[in-house]
Amino acid sequence: SIRAINQQTFDGEITILVVDNGSTDNTREVAESMGATVISEPEAGSYVARNTGIEHAEDDYIAFTDADAEPDPDWIANGIAALESGADAVSGPIRVESKPTDGTIAKFDEVLGFSKETLKTANLITRREVFDEIGTFDEDLISGGDVEWGNRVEKSEFTYRYDESVVVSHEPRRTLRELLGKNIRTGYGNGQKERIRGG
């Protein structure tokens, strides 16, 4: 992700924040060597980590992607253009691309990996004022916090847009364990939303 962000065509300044959510490898050293600022967040949770990133971000626009995702070169330029043309939050396709050497699980994930036109934090660019107004991600949710946040955007005065030119590629799940883990996590998150928010 960092390498792809360093190669963006956007001609403005880009600040890269990496939230280290309890890694035990050399994440910090690698990220810093590539020009990123690393923030430690000891409390486990993807939405806790994202909210920590929001807290430390200082710009008017905030973009999110995953560590195992690779934004297209025009990702930020096209996302900012969408915001400047009237959107308040924008996301786009998340392409899961398997390799010829990958097995059946990766091929399956390539077809069904991400719901189309659903807001996901693997590919999200938004105005800071949206967080200021409707709040950050729900840290109680183990999964689906990005969709829940998107629902709040759509119920507010802000405008969400799905833009086919705002593209991110994502690594596929390659093992049955990874695929089941994802489905269990998302299923549990959906159950949480039903209980906590009534859907």
Side-chain angles (χ1 to χ4, degrees):
S1 288
I2 299 174
R3 184 177 294 107
I5 293 170
N6 281 331
Q7 295 172 349
Q8 292 293 300
T9 60
F10 180 66
D11 59 5
E13 184 177 348
I14 299 173
T15 301
I16 304 175
L17 301 179
V18 172
V19 181
D20 185 346
N21 199 207
S23 68
T24 57
D25 56 15
N26 60 341
T27 293
R28 175 178 291 275
E29 291 78 8
V30 171
E32 289 178 342
S33 73
M34 300 176 76
T37 298
V38 181
I39 306 156
S40 294
E41 174 49 69
E43 182 180 347
S46 61
Y47 301 114
V48 175
R50 290 181 177 105
N51 288 343
T52 297
I54 294 166
E55 181 183 345
H56 285 81
E58 298 179 351
D59 297 315
D60 293 333
Y61 298 137
I62 303 176
F64 297 85
T65 192
D66 291 349
D68 55 354
E70 184 170 322
D72 277 12
D74 295 326
W75 176 59
I76 289 179
N78 290 344
I80 297 297
L83 296 180
E84 292 183 343
S85 68
D88 297 301
V90 61
S91 65
I94 302 173
R95 295 179 181 153
V96 178
E97 299 177 341
S98 63
K99 299 174 182 176
T101 54
D102 286 333
T104 304
I105 298 297
K107 304 290 186 188
F108 180 84
D109 198 40
E110 182 175 16
V111 175
L112 299 175
F114 289 93
S115 302
K116 294 186 182 300
E117 300 194 21
T118 301
L119 187 151
K120 298 285 187 182
T121 42
N123 184 0
L124 171 64
I125 303 175
T126 185
R127 300 177 189 274
R128 165 178 285 284
E129 65 188 275
V130 182
F131 289 113
D132 293 339
E133 182 67 27
I134 70 169
T136 55
F137 300 108
D138 188 337
E139 297 178 359
D140 292 330
L141 296 176
I142 192 171
S143 180
D146 39 11
V147 176
E148 187 276 332
W149 184 83
N151 290 339
R152 279 186 273 149
V153 173
E154 293 183 333
K155 291 176 182 176
S156 72
E157 73 276 15
F158 294 111
T159 301
Y160 164 66
R161 181 184 302 171
Y162 182 87
D163 191 312
E164 291 283 352
S165 73
V166 182
V167 181
V168 164
S169 297
H170 200 286
E171 286 287 315
R173 278 80 178 177
R174 291 187 168 88
T175 67
L176 183 59
R177 179 178 184 141
E178 289 175 340
L179 190 63
L180 288 175
K182 174 199 169 186
N183 288 329
I184 290 169
R185 187 177 68 255
T186 56
Y188 186 80
N190 288 335
Q192 282 184 304
K193 284 185 286 185
E194 290 288 340
R195 291 191 300 272
I196 298 170
R197 299 279 189 274

